[in-house]
Amino acid sequence: MPEGDTIYRAAHRLDAALRDQPVTRFDLRVPRLATADLTGQIVHEVAPRGKHLLMRIGEYTLHSHLRMDGAWFIYRPGEKWRHPAFKVRAIVGTAEHEAVGVDIAEVKLVPTRNEGELVDYLGPDPLAEDWDRDEAIRRLSADTREIHVALLDQRNVAGFGNEYAAELLFLRGIRPETPTPDVDVAALIDLGVRTIRANRDRMDRTFTGDARRGFTDWVYGRAGRSCRRCGTPIRKGELGADPTRERITFWCPNCQR
């Protein structure tokens, strides 16, 4: 699942492949952008911002949000793709590499000077050089909703998704529905920063310290299975800012009281 650490790695791979090279192929396969063409423009950089990926080309920024299933792949020109062409939403090619965006839910193209319209609402990003711990604590502390909902709100902190929310709350012994004012927000933020930075350079995200498949999570996706700490069956529920944005929660009723 693409979360802040996934976007960070994707942006750095794309940056290494495309930076400072002129675009030789530019193809956006979304109706409103089908005629856009940045061929000949220089790729200045590819940067992450929370769960958003920003590809700055010439005077424009190609913005993408991967949502649940999206991904960027890098190929050599002419190399056969490992996925069906109908899933491709964006192609940015240079003489040396071709970046192919697959199943991307959100693609936008804006002048770079207007990039802030897409990402300025985001809270501090723990993987950014300008990470502001105090501002993140201030924003999250001011949220009176359930902590699981508040932690997922990208306006508070940018980059934490549902897996991070479930795992961080388990590690802190906090139930998902706990009101945020009742939580030690600073300690939760500090744990989140340490965890996402530790996962930043790993191909396989882990919260347990064990990167083997099936052993990386304490509670996320483990409903009905035994808690790795106490043996109590993991439970699941749903929480959201409103009925249209509910997310599945996972917790141990014994370890998270």
Side-chain angles (χ1 to χ4, degrees), residues 223-251:
R225 286 184 263 180
S226 299
C227 175
R228 299 188 194 278
R229 280 185 177 169
C230 71
T232 303
I234 300 299
R235 295 183 183 176
K236 73 174 182 177
E238 291 185 352
L239 281 176
D242 59 57
T244 67
R245 289 183 286 172
E246 288 188 341
R247 305 295 297 275
I248 297 176
T249 58
F250 300 92
W251 75 95

PDB file of all heavy atoms in Angstrom, residues 223-251:
ATOM      1  N   ALA A 223      -7.047  -9.485  11.520  1.00  0.00           N
ATOM      2  CA  ALA A 223      -8.288  -9.702  12.270  1.00  0.00           C
ATOM      3  C   ALA A 223      -8.564 -11.194  12.463  1.00  0.00           C
ATOM      4  O   ALA A 223      -8.469 -11.990  11.527  1.00  0.00           O
ATOM      5  CB  ALA A 223      -9.461  -9.048  11.540  1.00  0.00           C
ATOM      6  N   GLY A 224      -8.878 -11.561  13.721  1.00  0.00           N
ATOM      7  CA  GLY A 224      -9.182 -12.941  14.052  1.00  0.00           C
ATOM      8  C   GLY A 224      -7.980 -13.779  14.400  1.00  0.00           C
ATOM      9  O   GLY A 224      -8.121 -14.870  14.989  1.00  0.00           O
ATOM     10  N   ARG A 225      -6.786 -13.304  14.062  1.00  0.00           N
ATOM     11  CA  ARG A 225      -5.577 -14.042  14.399  1.00  0.00           C
ATOM     12  C   ARG A 225      -5.058 -13.624  15.773  1.00  0.00           C
ATOM     13  O   ARG A 225      -5.414 -12.570  16.295  1.00  0.00           O
ATOM     14  CB  ARG A 225      -4.511 -13.827  13.331  1.00  0.00           C
ATOM     15  CG  ARG A 225      -4.819 -14.595  12.055  1.00  0.00           C
ATOM     16  CD  ARG A 225      -3.723 -14.450  11.035  1.00  0.00           C
ATOM     17  NE  ARG A 225      -4.049 -13.397  10.081  1.00  0.00           N
ATOM     18  CZ  ARG A 225      -3.264 -13.034   9.070  1.00  0.00           C
ATOM     19  NH1 ARG A 225      -2.100 -13.636   8.902  1.00  0.00           N
ATOM     20  NH2 ARG A 225      -3.631 -12.083   8.251  1.00  0.00           N
ATOM     21  N   SER A 226      -4.196 -14.412  16.334  1.00  0.00           N
ATOM     22  CA  SER A 226      -3.714 -14.164  17.686  1.00  0.00           C
ATOM     23  C   SER A 226      -2.722 -13.002  17.722  1.00  0.00           C
ATOM     24  O   SER A 226      -1.856 -12.885  16.843  1.00  0.00           O
ATOM     25  CB  SER A 226      -3.027 -15.415  18.244  1.00  0.00           C
ATOM     26  OG  SER A 226      -3.938 -16.495  18.314  1.00  0.00           O
ATOM     27  N   CYS A 227      -2.863 -12.167  18.742  1.00  0.00           N
ATOM     28  CA  CYS A 227      -1.909 -11.092  18.966  1.00  0.00           C
ATOM     29  C   CYS A 227      -0.519 -11.700  19.169  1.00  0.00           C
ATOM     30  O   CYS A 227      -0.356 -12.680  19.898  1.00  0.00           O
ATOM     31  CB  CYS A 227      -2.311 -10.285  20.194  1.00  0.00           C
ATOM     32  SG  CYS A 227      -1.121  -8.997  20.663  1.00  0.00           S
ATOM     33  N   ARG A 228       0.467 -11.119  18.536  1.00  0.00           N
ATOM     34  CA  ARG A 228       1.825 -11.644  18.640  1.00  0.00           C
ATOM     35  C   ARG A 228       2.397 -11.469  20.048  1.00  0.00           C
ATOM     36  O   ARG A 228       3.365 -12.135  20.407  1.00  0.00           O
ATOM     37  CB  ARG A 228       2.734 -10.950  17.627  1.00  0.00           C
ATOM     38  CG  ARG A 228       2.323 -11.130  16.163  1.00  0.00           C
ATOM     39  CD  ARG A 228       3.387 -10.578  15.235  1.00  0.00           C
ATOM     40  NE  ARG A 228       2.911 -10.434  13.868  1.00  0.00           N
ATOM     41  CZ  ARG A 228       2.851 -11.417  12.974  1.00  0.00           C
ATOM     42  NH1 ARG A 228       3.226 -12.639  13.325  1.00  0.00           N
ATOM     43  NH2 ARG A 228       2.423 -11.196  11.743  1.00  0.00           N
ATOM     44  N   ARG A 229       1.794 -10.583  20.836  1.00  0.00           N
ATOM     45  CA  ARG A 229       2.282 -10.347  22.190  1.00  0.00           C
ATOM     46  C   ARG A 229       1.552 -11.174  23.237  1.00  0.00           C
ATOM     47  O   ARG A 229       2.179 -11.796  24.093  1.00  0.00           O
ATOM     48  CB  ARG A 229       2.144  -8.860  22.538  1.00  0.00           C
ATOM     49  CG  ARG A 229       3.239  -7.977  21.979  1.00  0.00           C
ATOM     50  CD  ARG A 229       3.080  -6.567  22.486  1.00  0.00           C
ATOM     51  NE  ARG A 229       4.163  -5.694  22.028  1.00  0.00           N
ATOM     52  CZ  ARG A 229       4.152  -4.375  22.150  1.00  0.00           C
ATOM     53  NH1 ARG A 229       3.121  -3.778  22.723  1.00  0.00           N
ATOM     54  NH2 ARG A 229       5.175  -3.669  21.712  1.00  0.00           N
ATOM     55  N   CYS A 230       0.210 -11.154  23.176  1.00  0.00           N
ATOM     56  CA  CYS A 230      -0.543 -11.764  24.276  1.00  0.00           C
ATOM     57  C   CYS A 230      -1.429 -12.925  23.860  1.00  0.00           C
ATOM     58  O   CYS A 230      -1.992 -13.612  24.720  1.00  0.00           O
ATOM     59  CB  CYS A 230      -1.395 -10.692  24.968  1.00  0.00           C
ATOM     60  SG  CYS A 230      -2.789 -10.118  23.972  1.00  0.00           S
ATOM     61  N   GLY A 231      -1.614 -13.135  22.563  1.00  0.00           N
ATOM     62  CA  GLY A 231      -2.418 -14.256  22.093  1.00  0.00           C
ATOM     63  C   GLY A 231      -3.897 -13.966  21.934  1.00  0.00           C
ATOM     64  O   GLY A 231      -4.639 -14.794  21.413  1.00  0.00           O
ATOM     65  N   THR A 232      -4.365 -12.787  22.352  1.00  0.00           N
ATOM     66  CA  THR A 232      -5.777 -12.418  22.203  1.00  0.00           C
ATOM     67  C   THR A 232      -6.117 -12.228  20.725  1.00  0.00           C
ATOM     68  O   THR A 232      -5.320 -11.648  19.983  1.00  0.00           O
ATOM     69  CB  THR A 232      -6.049 -11.108  22.963  1.00  0.00           C
ATOM     70  OG1 THR A 232      -5.686 -11.273  24.331  1.00  0.00           O
ATOM     71  CG2 THR A 232      -7.514 -10.707  22.859  1.00  0.00           C
ATOM     72  N   PRO A 233      -7.281 -12.681  20.262  1.00  0.00           N
ATOM     73  CA  PRO A 233      -7.645 -12.472  18.856  1.00  0.00           C
ATOM     74  C   PRO A 233      -7.718 -10.986  18.505  1.00  0.00           C
ATOM     75  O   PRO A 233      -8.309 -10.187  19.237  1.00  0.00           O
ATOM     76  CB  PRO A 233      -9.025 -13.137  18.742  1.00  0.00           C
ATOM     77  CG  PRO A 233      -9.029 -14.163  19.829  1.00  0.00           C
ATOM     78  CD  PRO A 233      -8.264 -13.532  20.966  1.00  0.00           C
ATOM     79  N   ILE A 234      -7.112 -10.630  17.385  1.00  0.00           N
ATOM     80  CA  ILE A 234      -7.147  -9.253  16.897  1.00  0.00           C
ATOM     81  C   ILE A 234      -8.550  -8.938  16.387  1.00  0.00           C
ATOM     82  O   ILE A 234      -9.180  -9.757  15.712  1.00  0.00           O
ATOM     83  CB  ILE A 234      -6.124  -9.042  15.766  1.00  0.00           C
ATOM     84  CG1 ILE A 234      -4.702  -9.350  16.270  1.00  0.00           C
ATOM     85  CG2 ILE A 234      -6.201  -7.638  15.203  1.00  0.00           C
ATOM     86  CD1 ILE A 234      -4.251  -8.463  17.406  1.00  0.00           C
ATOM     87  N   ARG A 235      -9.025  -7.756  16.698  1.00  0.00           N
ATOM     88  CA  ARG A 235     -10.340  -7.322  16.238  1.00  0.00           C
ATOM     89  C   ARG A 235     -10.209  -6.274  15.136  1.00  0.00           C
ATOM     90  O   ARG A 235      -9.166  -5.655  14.969  1.00  0.00           O
ATOM     91  CB  ARG A 235     -11.139  -6.737  17.411  1.00  0.00           C
ATOM     92  CG  ARG A 235     -11.467  -7.754  18.492  1.00  0.00           C
ATOM     93  CD  ARG A 235     -12.312  -7.129  19.578  1.00  0.00           C
ATOM     94  NE  ARG A 235     -12.573  -8.069  20.668  1.00  0.00           N
ATOM     95  CZ  ARG A 235     -13.226  -7.748  21.772  1.00  0.00           C
ATOM     96  NH1 ARG A 235     -13.706  -6.512  21.937  1.00  0.00           N
ATOM     97  NH2 ARG A 235     -13.411  -8.658  22.718  1.00  0.00           N
ATOM     98  N   LYS A 236     -11.321  -6.090  14.419  1.00  0.00           N
ATOM     99  CA  LYS A 236     -11.340  -5.032  13.424  1.00  0.00           C
ATOM    100  C   LYS A 236     -12.670  -4.299  13.494  1.00  0.00           C
ATOM    101  O   LYS A 236     -13.677  -4.830  13.972  1.00  0.00           O
ATOM    102  CB  LYS A 236     -11.109  -5.576  12.014  1.00  0.00           C
ATOM    103  CG  LYS A 236     -12.266  -6.341  11.415  1.00  0.00           C
ATOM    104  CD  LYS A 236     -11.962  -6.692   9.953  1.00  0.00           C
ATOM    105  CE  LYS A 236     -13.137  -7.432   9.313  1.00  0.00           C
ATOM    106  NZ  LYS A 236     -12.884  -7.721   7.882  1.00  0.00           N
ATOM    107  N   GLY A 237     -12.651  -3.053  13.031  1.00  0.00           N
ATOM    108  CA  GLY A 237     -13.855  -2.235  12.998  1.00  0.00           C
ATOM    109  C   GLY A 237     -13.726  -1.219  11.892  1.00  0.00           C
ATOM    110  O   GLY A 237     -12.904  -1.378  10.982  1.00  0.00           O
ATOM    111  N   GLU A 238     -14.501  -0.165  11.961  1.00  0.00           N
ATOM    112  CA  GLU A 238     -14.444   0.897  10.960  1.00  0.00           C
ATOM    113  C   GLU A 238     -14.562   2.247  11.642  1.00  0.00           C
ATOM    114  O   GLU A 238     -15.366   2.423  12.564  1.00  0.00           O
ATOM    115  CB  GLU A 238     -15.560   0.745   9.925  1.00  0.00           C
ATOM    116  CG  GLU A 238     -15.396  -0.469   9.011  1.00  0.00           C
ATOM    117  CD  GLU A 238     -16.462  -0.523   7.924  1.00  0.00           C
ATOM    118  OE1 GLU A 238     -17.411   0.294   7.994  1.00  0.00           O
ATOM    119  OE2 GLU A 238     -16.343  -1.362   7.025  1.00  0.00           O
ATOM    120  N   LEU A 239     -13.742   3.171  11.198  1.00  0.00           N
ATOM    121  CA  LEU A 239     -13.794   4.555  11.662  1.00  0.00           C
ATOM    122  C   LEU A 239     -13.527   5.463  10.486  1.00  0.00           C
ATOM    123  O   LEU A 239     -12.774   5.118   9.571  1.00  0.00           O
ATOM    124  CB  LEU A 239     -12.742   4.820  12.745  1.00  0.00           C
ATOM    125  CG  LEU A 239     -13.030   4.368  14.180  1.00  0.00           C
ATOM    126  CD1 LEU A 239     -11.822   4.653  15.049  1.00  0.00           C
ATOM    127  CD2 LEU A 239     -14.256   5.082  14.736  1.00  0.00           C
ATOM    128  N   GLY A 240     -14.117   6.649  10.519  1.00  0.00           N
ATOM    129  CA  GLY A 240     -13.857   7.607   9.453  1.00  0.00           C
ATOM    130  C   GLY A 240     -14.383   8.974   9.800  1.00  0.00           C
ATOM    131  O   GLY A 240     -15.216   9.134  10.704  1.00  0.00           O
ATOM    132  N   ALA A 241     -13.896   9.969   9.072  1.00  0.00           N
ATOM    133  CA  ALA A 241     -14.355  11.334   9.290  1.00  0.00           C
ATOM    134  C   ALA A 241     -15.836  11.465   8.957  1.00  0.00           C
ATOM    135  O   ALA A 241     -16.542  12.304   9.511  1.00  0.00           O
ATOM    136  CB  ALA A 241     -13.529  12.302   8.444  1.00  0.00           C
ATOM    137  N   ASP A 242     -16.325  10.624   8.034  1.00  0.00           N
ATOM    138  CA  ASP A 242     -17.743  10.546   7.691  1.00  0.00           C
ATOM    139  C   ASP A 242     -17.971   9.177   7.055  1.00  0.00           C
ATOM    140  O   ASP A 242     -17.014   8.452   6.766  1.00  0.00           O
ATOM    141  CB  ASP A 242     -18.158  11.697   6.756  1.00  0.00           C
ATOM    142  CG  ASP A 242     -17.375  11.711   5.457  1.00  0.00           C
ATOM    143  OD1 ASP A 242     -17.398  10.697   4.729  1.00  0.00           O
ATOM    144  OD2 ASP A 242     -16.715  12.731   5.182  1.00  0.00           O
ATOM    145  N   PRO A 243     -19.232   8.784   6.845  1.00  0.00           N
ATOM    146  CA  PRO A 243     -19.505   7.435   6.328  1.00  0.00           C
ATOM    147  C   PRO A 243     -18.850   7.124   4.986  1.00  0.00           C
ATOM    148  O   PRO A 243     -18.663   5.946   4.654  1.00  0.00           O
ATOM    149  CB  PRO A 243     -21.036   7.411   6.220  1.00  0.00           C
ATOM    150  CG  PRO A 243     -21.496   8.386   7.248  1.00  0.00           C
ATOM    151  CD  PRO A 243     -20.475   9.504   7.214  1.00  0.00           C
ATOM    152  N   THR A 244     -18.510   8.135   4.203  1.00  0.00           N
ATOM    153  CA  THR A 244     -17.896   7.891   2.891  1.00  0.00           C
ATOM    154  C   THR A 244     -16.393   7.708   2.975  1.00  0.00           C
ATOM    155  O   THR A 244     -15.757   7.351   1.991  1.00  0.00           O
ATOM    156  CB  THR A 244     -18.204   9.047   1.922  1.00  0.00           C
ATOM    157  OG1 THR A 244     -17.541  10.247   2.381  1.00  0.00           O
ATOM    158  CG2 THR A 244     -19.689   9.301   1.826  1.00  0.00           C
ATOM    159  N   ARG A 245     -15.815   7.954   4.148  1.00  0.00           N
ATOM    160  CA  ARG A 245     -14.349   7.860   4.287  1.00  0.00           C
ATOM    161  C   ARG A 245     -13.940   6.928   5.424  1.00  0.00           C
ATOM    162  O   ARG A 245     -12.902   7.114   6.037  1.00  0.00           O
ATOM    163  CB  ARG A 245     -13.753   9.258   4.507  1.00  0.00           C
ATOM    164  CG  ARG A 245     -13.802  10.153   3.278  1.00  0.00           C
ATOM    165  CD  ARG A 245     -13.146  11.482   3.545  1.00  0.00           C
ATOM    166  NE  ARG A 245     -13.967  12.334   4.394  1.00  0.00           N
ATOM    167  CZ  ARG A 245     -13.553  13.494   4.900  1.00  0.00           C
ATOM    168  NH1 ARG A 245     -12.329  13.907   4.679  1.00  0.00           N
ATOM    169  NH2 ARG A 245     -14.369  14.225   5.647  1.00  0.00           N
ATOM    170  N   GLU A 246     -14.751   5.930   5.681  1.00  0.00           N
ATOM    171  CA  GLU A 246     -14.420   5.001   6.746  1.00  0.00           C
ATOM    172  C   GLU A 246     -13.271   4.085   6.326  1.00  0.00           C
ATOM    173  O   GLU A 246     -13.185   3.650   5.186  1.00  0.00           O
ATOM    174  CB  GLU A 246     -15.646   4.175   7.134  1.00  0.00           C
ATOM    175  CG  GLU A 246     -16.692   4.985   7.884  1.00  0.00           C
ATOM    176  CD  GLU A 246     -17.807   4.119   8.427  1.00  0.00           C
ATOM    177  OE1 GLU A 246     -17.972   2.985   7.926  1.00  0.00           O
ATOM    178  OE2 GLU A 246     -18.511   4.565   9.352  1.00  0.00           O
ATOM    179  N   ARG A 247     -12.392   3.803   7.278  1.00  0.00           N
ATOM    180  CA  ARG A 247     -11.273   2.895   7.060  1.00  0.00           C
ATOM    181  C   ARG A 247     -11.341   1.767   8.079  1.00  0.00           C
ATOM    182  O   ARG A 247     -11.834   1.958   9.194  1.00  0.00           O
ATOM    183  CB  ARG A 247      -9.941   3.643   7.200  1.00  0.00           C
ATOM    184  CG  ARG A 247      -9.813   4.859   6.291  1.00  0.00           C
ATOM    185  CD  ARG A 247      -9.805   4.473   4.824  1.00  0.00           C
ATOM    186  NE  ARG A 247      -8.656   3.648   4.482  1.00  0.00           N
ATOM    187  CZ  ARG A 247      -7.450   4.133   4.170  1.00  0.00           C
ATOM    188  NH1 ARG A 247      -7.233   5.440   4.199  1.00  0.00           N
ATOM    189  NH2 ARG A 247      -6.466   3.314   3.843  1.00  0.00           N
ATOM    190  N   ILE A 248     -10.842   0.615   7.706  1.00  0.00           N
ATOM    191  CA  ILE A 248     -10.843  -0.525   8.616  1.00  0.00           C
ATOM    192  C   ILE A 248      -9.781  -0.323   9.686  1.00  0.00           C
ATOM    193  O   ILE A 248      -8.645   0.054   9.379  1.00  0.00           O
ATOM    194  CB  ILE A 248     -10.592  -1.829   7.847  1.00  0.00           C
ATOM    195  CG1 ILE A 248     -11.718  -2.080   6.842  1.00  0.00           C
ATOM    196  CG2 ILE A 248     -10.478  -3.013   8.808  1.00  0.00           C
ATOM    197  CD1 ILE A 248     -11.509  -3.301   5.975  1.00  0.00           C
ATOM    198  N   THR A 249     -10.155  -0.539  10.930  1.00  0.00           N
ATOM    199  CA  THR A 249      -9.217  -0.453  12.030  1.00  0.00           C
ATOM    200  C   THR A 249      -8.915  -1.857  12.561  1.00  0.00           C
ATOM    201  O   THR A 249      -9.754  -2.755  12.480  1.00  0.00           O
ATOM    202  CB  THR A 249      -9.787   0.400  13.178  1.00  0.00           C
ATOM    203  OG1 THR A 249     -11.021  -0.178  13.623  1.00  0.00           O
ATOM    204  CG2 THR A 249     -10.041   1.828  12.721  1.00  0.00           C
ATOM    205  N   PHE A 250      -7.727  -2.032  13.090  1.00  0.00           N
ATOM    206  CA  PHE A 250      -7.300  -3.299  13.677  1.00  0.00           C
ATOM    207  C   PHE A 250      -6.692  -2.994  15.033  1.00  0.00           C
ATOM    208  O   PHE A 250      -5.909  -2.057  15.178  1.00  0.00           O
ATOM    209  CB  PHE A 250      -6.272  -3.991  12.803  1.00  0.00           C
ATOM    210  CG  PHE A 250      -6.766  -4.310  11.406  1.00  0.00           C
ATOM    211  CD1 PHE A 250      -6.571  -3.409  10.363  1.00  0.00           C
ATOM    212  CD2 PHE A 250      -7.402  -5.509  11.134  1.00  0.00           C
ATOM    213  CE1 PHE A 250      -7.029  -3.687   9.085  1.00  0.00           C
ATOM    214  CE2 PHE A 250      -7.859  -5.802   9.854  1.00  0.00           C
ATOM    215  CZ  PHE A 250      -7.666  -4.895   8.835  1.00  0.00           C
ATOM    216  N   TRP A 251      -7.032  -3.799  16.051  1.00  0.00           N
ATOM    217  CA  TRP A 251      -6.454  -3.571  17.363  1.00  0.00           C
ATOM    218  C   TRP A 251      -6.531  -4.839  18.207  1.00  0.00           C
ATOM    219  O   TRP A 251      -7.310  -5.757  17.929  1.00  0.00           O
ATOM    220  CB  TRP A 251      -7.145  -2.419  18.076  1.00  0.00           C
ATOM    221  CG  TRP A 251      -8.506  -2.743  18.624  1.00  0.00           C
ATOM    222  CD1 TRP A 251      -8.806  -3.143  19.900  1.00  0.00           C
ATOM    223  CD2 TRP A 251      -9.765  -2.707  17.931  1.00  0.00           C
ATOM    224  NE1 TRP A 251     -10.158  -3.353  20.028  1.00  0.00           N
ATOM    225  CE2 TRP A 251     -10.776  -3.087  18.846  1.00  0.00           C
ATOM    226  CE3 TRP A 251     -10.136  -2.384  16.607  1.00  0.00           C
ATOM    227  CZ2 TRP A 251     -12.109  -3.161  18.483  1.00  0.00           C
ATOM    228  CZ3 TRP A 251     -11.466  -2.447  16.256  1.00  0.00           C
ATOM    229  CH2 TRP A 251     -12.431  -2.839  17.185  1.00  0.00           C
TER     230      TRP A 251
END
